[in-house]
Amino acid sequence: MTNDNQNLFKEFAPVSSKQWKQQIQFELKGADYNDTLVWESPEGIKVKPFYHKDEFSASHSITTKATDFKICQNIFVYDLEKSIARALDSISRGAESLRFTIENENTDVAQLLEKLPLQKVPIYFNLHFLSIDFIKKIDEVAKNKQATIFCNIDPIGQLASDGNWFKSAEKDNFETLNLLSKQVTNISFLSINAGLYQNAGANMVQQIAYALAHANEYFNRLEKIEKPVVFEISVGTNYFFEIAKLRAFRVLFDLIAKEYNITSGCHLLVSPTKRNKTIYDYNVNMLRTTTECMSAILGGADAIANLPYDALYHKDNEFGDRIARNQLLVLKQESYFDKVDNPADGSYYIENITEQLAEKALVLFKDIEANDGFLKQLGTGIIKRKIQESADKEQELFDSGKEILLGTNKYPNKNDRMQHDMELFPFVKTKPRKTLIQPIIEKRLAEKNEQERLETEKN
C-alpha cells in the first residue's frame, strides 16, 4: 500500500465490532438481531451477518498450496488399449493427473503405464481387490520410472460401503497392509474413502470426525506409515463451509498424526458430491460442480477430479469428460485460482468456521474413541444410524422445499424427458446378500422425486 493510500484511510476512524452490531440493531428497527440475521447450520454452527478482527484469533496454522493443485481425470479400465489412448488424450487436453479404477487383478498394469509421462503426471489407482502381487508390480513401475503413484487401498472403506472386507490370501486385511508396508517402498498405498460419508448424507462435522476415526484405526494397526495418507473427499455447494471443511481436515489430521509420530502428511483428492446432482435439468449440475471445484481449490485440495454433468445417467463419454476437465482448466488458467497459496488465510468468516468445525469434529472423534473406536461402532451400526439421522433431516428439508435444487424441486421443466436418455441406473440398487455389517449407502436427495417423474413419462 502506498503512503497516499495510507493517508486516505486515516480520514476514517476505525469501527469496532460492537459499533457495527449497534448500527445493525438500529437498522432492524426493533427486530431481534439473533432471530433475524443469525442462522444455524446442520452442524450446529451459528453463522453471524458479519465477522470482525476484534473477535478473531487464529489458533491453528494451516498450509495449503493452491498453486500446486492438479486436474485429475477419472478412467475406468476395461479395455486396456482404449484406456491407454484415453489417458494420453486426456493429458494432451489438460489433465495433470490420472485416477484409474481397476476391477480385474489380471490387468497388465505395466502395459497400462508404459506409455504415460509418469515423471510429471501423478497416478492414482482405485482397486476393487486387495493383492500384494499386483501392488508390487505398480511399486516396481514407480521405482523404475521415478513416478508418483498412489494406490488408494482402504479395507475399512470397503467394509463400510460393501458390508464385507476384501478377500485376501492373508489372515485379514490388516495383515495384508502390514506386509505391504514392508514390501512396497515407492508408492503410497493407504487411503480413506471420506466421500462415502458425505454422499450418504453425513453433516460436515461427522464427515471430518468419521474420516479421522477411520484413519485412526489404521494408525493403531499398521506398524509403519511412511507415505502420505490419501483422503478421497467429496464437497457440496455450501461454498465457504466446504472450504473450511478441507482446512479443518488438515488441522485435525496433523494433530492426530503427531501423536503417532507420523510425519508423512495427508493428501486430499477431492471430487464434487453426487448427493445434490440431478438427472432432470442436468445442465445445472455444471453450475454445482463449478462452485464445488472452487471450494476444493481454495480449501487446499492436492488434486481435483471433477464429476461430469451427465455422470449419473450416461456411461463415460468424451463430451462429458471434456466439459468436466475444461471447468477446471478455466478455473486454473483463466480465473487464476492457482496464483495464491493459502488463499483463505485472513478471511475472518472462513477462519471462524474452520475453527468451529475442527472443535466440534474433535469432540466427536474423542467420543468415538472413548466408546470402543470407529470399527466397533461401524460394526454395531452406530455410524450408519447417525449418518441416516443427518440424511433424513436433509431429505426432509428437500422434500419440504426448504433445501432447493433448481430444476428439480424448484422451477422444474415439466416438458423435460429423460427416459430415453438413461444409459445407467441412477438410483440406489438393492441386492440382498450376506454381509458382515449393514453397509453405508450413498443416496441422492432427488431420487424419489426423479423416480416419480420417470414413472409419469411411461404413462
Side-chain angles (χ1 to χ4, degrees):
M1 185 182 293
T2 66
N3 288 332
D4 288 342
N5 285 336
Q6 288 178 340
N7 290 332
L8 278 174
F9 280 102
K10 285 181 179 179
E11 295 292 324
F12 302 95
V15 181
S16 68
S17 173
K18 183 178 180 181
Q19 288 172 301
W20 274 114
K21 189 170 181 180
Q22 288 173 340
Q23 182 63 35
I24 292 170
Q25 190 68 66
F26 173 77
E27 298 291 343
L28 288 174
K29 297 179 180 179
D32 185 79
Y33 175 89
N34 289 320
D35 291 344
T36 307
L37 298 179
V38 177
W39 60 273
E40 186 169 313
S41 77
E43 296 77 19
I45 294 175
K46 294 186 182 298
V47 181
K48 300 183 295 185
F50 76 98
Y51 290 81
H52 195 282
K53 68 177 182 180
D54 287 358
E55 304 164 336
F56 174 72
S57 61
S59 60
H60 298 293
S61 176
I62 304 170
T63 301
T64 61
K65 288 194 173 183
T67 54
D68 290 346
F69 91 88
K70 301 290 186 186
I71 298 171
C72 185
Q73 178 66 57
N74 290 323
I75 298 176
F76 183 87
V77 179
Y78 178 73
D79 183 297
L80 198 60
E81 292 298 331
K82 288 182 179 179
S83 296
I84 294 168
R86 187 176 168 206
L88 291 170
D89 181 66
S90 298
I91 293 169
S92 71
R93 290 169 177 248
E96 299 165 320
S97 61
L98 303 169
R99 176 163 58 178
F100 292 110
T101 298
I102 300 179
E103 290 188 329
N104 188 346
E105 61 184 288
N106 294 319
T107 301
D108 190 339
V109 71
Q111 184 182 344
L112 176 66
L113 299 175
E114 185 179 4
K115 296 180 181 178
L116 302 182
L118 297 180
Q119 291 185 0
K120 65 176 183 178
V121 177
I123 305 293
Y124 303 87
F125 282 101
N126 277 6
L127 305 179
H128 290 182
F129 53 87
L130 186 56
S131 165
I132 291 178
D133 289 340
F134 190 89
I135 296 164
K136 285 170 71 174
K137 292 176 184 177
I138 298 173
D139 188 59
E140 187 66 23
V141 173
K143 178 182 177 181
N144 294 335
K145 298 289 184 84
Q146 297 181 321
T148 300
I149 298 179
F150 303 88
C151 278
N152 297 337
I153 302 169
D154 182 12
I156 296 175
Q158 165 71 12
L159 176 67
S161 62
D162 182 75
N164 290 314
W165 296 97
F166 284 120
K167 293 179 181 178
S168 63
E170 293 71 40
K171 181 181 69 174
D172 58 38
N173 287 180
F174 295 116
E175 182 184 359
T176 307
L177 291 179
N178 274 312
L179 288 172
L180 281 171
S181 69
K182 297 171 184 176
Q183 299 177 33
V184 172
T185 58
N186 300 287
I187 63 174
S188 170
F189 63 83
L190 185 59
S191 175
I192 311 298
N193 180 15
L196 171 65
Y197 310 124
Q198 201 281 344
N199 282 295
N203 65 43
M204 290 188 198
V205 168
Q206 290 174 326
Q207 292 169 46
I208 298 168
Y210 293 164
L212 292 169
H214 182 153
N216 197 52
E217 294 290 344
Y218 291 125
F219 294 167
N220 280 311
R221 286 171 169 79
L222 299 193
E223 296 171 10
K224 61 177 182 177
I225 299 173
E226 296 179 341
K227 297 288 185 180
V229 179
V230 175
F231 282 84
E232 296 187 89
I233 299 174
S234 293
V235 292
T237 48
N238 193 341
Y239 186 66
F240 294 108
F241 268 68
E242 293 291 354
I243 295 171
K245 180 180 83 177
L246 297 182
R247 291 161 57 84
F249 255 112
R250 289 195 184 276
V251 169
L252 294 185
F253 177 85
D254 290 345
L255 185 68
I256 295 166
K258 185 178 179 182
E259 296 300 314
Y260 293 89
N261 296 315
I262 295 172
T263 58
S264 52
C266 64
H267 185 93
L268 305 188
L269 175 55
V270 182
S271 299
T273 181
K274 291 181 181 177
R275 187 157 170 79
N276 63 4
K277 303 304 181 290
T278 59
I279 60 174
Y280 286 97
D281 211 350
Y282 47 75
N283 287 320
V284 180
N285 288 336
M286 282 188 273
L287 302 179
R288 297 176 183 128
T289 55
T290 297
T291 68
E292 289 160 0
C293 288
M294 290 162 64
S295 292
I297 297 168
L298 298 180
D302 294 288
I304 302 170
N306 195 11
L307 184 73
Y309 75 97
D310 59 347
L312 297 177
Y313 61 92
H314 273 169
K315 296 176 182 178
D316 287 350
N317 62 90
E318 193 276 335
F319 183 76
D321 284 345
R322 179 162 57 87
I323 293 296
R325 191 169 54 244
N326 285 350
Q327 287 174 259
L328 286 167
L329 286 168
V330 168
L331 290 176
K332 191 167 196 175
Q333 298 182 4
E334 298 182 27
S335 303
Y336 310 114
F337 268 65
D338 67 333
K339 299 303 179 188
V340 179
D341 284 336
N342 303 321
D345 279 6
S347 168
Y348 305 141
Y349 179 33
I350 295 174
E351 296 273 17
N352 183 278
I353 301 169
T354 301
E355 191 80 13
Q356 291 192 67
L357 284 175
E359 289 175 356
K360 289 177 178 292
L362 185 59
V363 170
L364 179 54
F365 171 84
K366 289 179 177 179
D367 180 72
I368 293 168
E369 294 306 310
N371 289 278
D372 302 319
F374 184 77
L375 264 180
K376 182 70 173 180
Q377 292 199 9
L378 191 64
T380 57
I382 293 174
I383 300 296
K384 178 179 172 63
R385 176 170 56 82
K386 293 292 186 181
I387 292 175
Q388 191 60 54
E389 288 171 0
S390 293
D392 289 344
K393 289 177 183 177
E394 188 180 17
Q395 190 70 53
E396 185 179 340
L397 291 173
F398 173 81
D399 292 342
S400 65
K402 293 178 182 178
E403 181 165 336
I404 294 170
L405 294 181
L406 288 176
T408 301
N409 68 341
K410 188 79 169 177
Y411 308 123
N413 178 2
K414 300 296 184 182
N415 298 319
D416 203 358
R417 296 289 182 270
M418 287 300 299
Q419 189 72 42
H420 67 286
D421 208 15
M422 306 286 284
E423 296 176 354
L424 300 173
F425 185 74
F427 309 115
V428 172
K429 298 179 178 69
T430 55
K431 184 182 177 183
R433 57 196 171 83
K434 187 175 181 180
T435 58
L436 293 173
I437 68 167
Q438 282 195 335
I440 296 169
I441 305 298
E442 297 182 357
K443 185 179 181 182
R444 295 181 299 110
L445 288 168
E447 289 199 15
K448 182 181 177 182
N449 177 293
E450 291 170 347
Q451 286 173 309
E452 291 172 353
R453 289 182 66 176
L454 284 169
E455 196 61 35
T456 63
E457 288 185 34
K458 298 177 183 177
N459 301 330

